[in-house]
Amino acid sequence: MEIYSVKILFKYEIEDSDRAIYEESLRLFYAESLDEAFDKAKKMAMEEEWEYINVYAGKVKYRFYENTEAFRLFDDLEFEDGL
């Protein structure tokens, strides 16, 4: 297996607002291919989605937006997927 770095883009949406905030996150994955790394990243990102009520009583949704980039990295690094 090879190691890939995947850039995941998350989006904060605020209820009744046109504003949105984006957050980039770089994650490492063991995968057999670039496509598998993208798939693993998307699955992990969707499991991290959540909602909360902000201090102004508006609902904020934190959602997976897209995987934007991926790169093959080293072969001898030890880690857990997504960390």
Side-chain angles (χ1 to χ4, degrees), residues 52-82:
Y52 66 94
I53 304 299
N54 67 16
V55 297
Y56 304 106
K59 183 185 286 187
V60 178
K61 296 178 182 179
Y62 179 74
R63 299 284 184 251
F64 166 71
Y65 187 70
E66 69 178 333
N67 292 327
T68 59
E69 298 176 28
F71 300 94
R72 183 182 167 280
L73 298 175
F74 313 102
D75 292 327
D76 59 353
L77 185 66
E78 291 186 27
F79 66 93
E80 289 183 39
D81 279 350

Side-chain angles (χ1 to χ4, degrees), residues 6-71:
V6 180
K7 185 186 292 184
I8 303 169
L9 192 60
F10 292 94
K11 182 179 181 180
Y12 288 89
E13 296 175 318
I14 304 166
E15 187 175 63
D16 298 327
S17 174
D18 293 335
R19 294 182 53 204
I21 299 170
Y22 295 88
E23 175 185 311
E24 289 181 346
S25 180
L26 289 174
R27 307 287 179 92
L28 300 179
F29 294 92
Y30 286 111
E32 295 292 336
S33 67
L34 186 65
D35 288 337
E36 181 184 356
F38 270 122
D39 290 343
K40 290 174 95 172
K42 182 177 181 177
K43 181 180 179 202
M44 178 176 279
M46 292 180 80
E47 290 172 358
E48 294 180 9
E49 294 182 338
W50 57 292
E51 298 178 358
Y52 66 94
I53 304 299
N54 67 16
V55 297
Y56 304 106
K59 183 185 286 187
V60 178
K61 296 178 182 179
Y62 179 74
R63 299 284 184 251
F64 166 71
Y65 187 70
E66 69 178 333
N67 292 327
T68 59
E69 298 176 28
F71 300 94

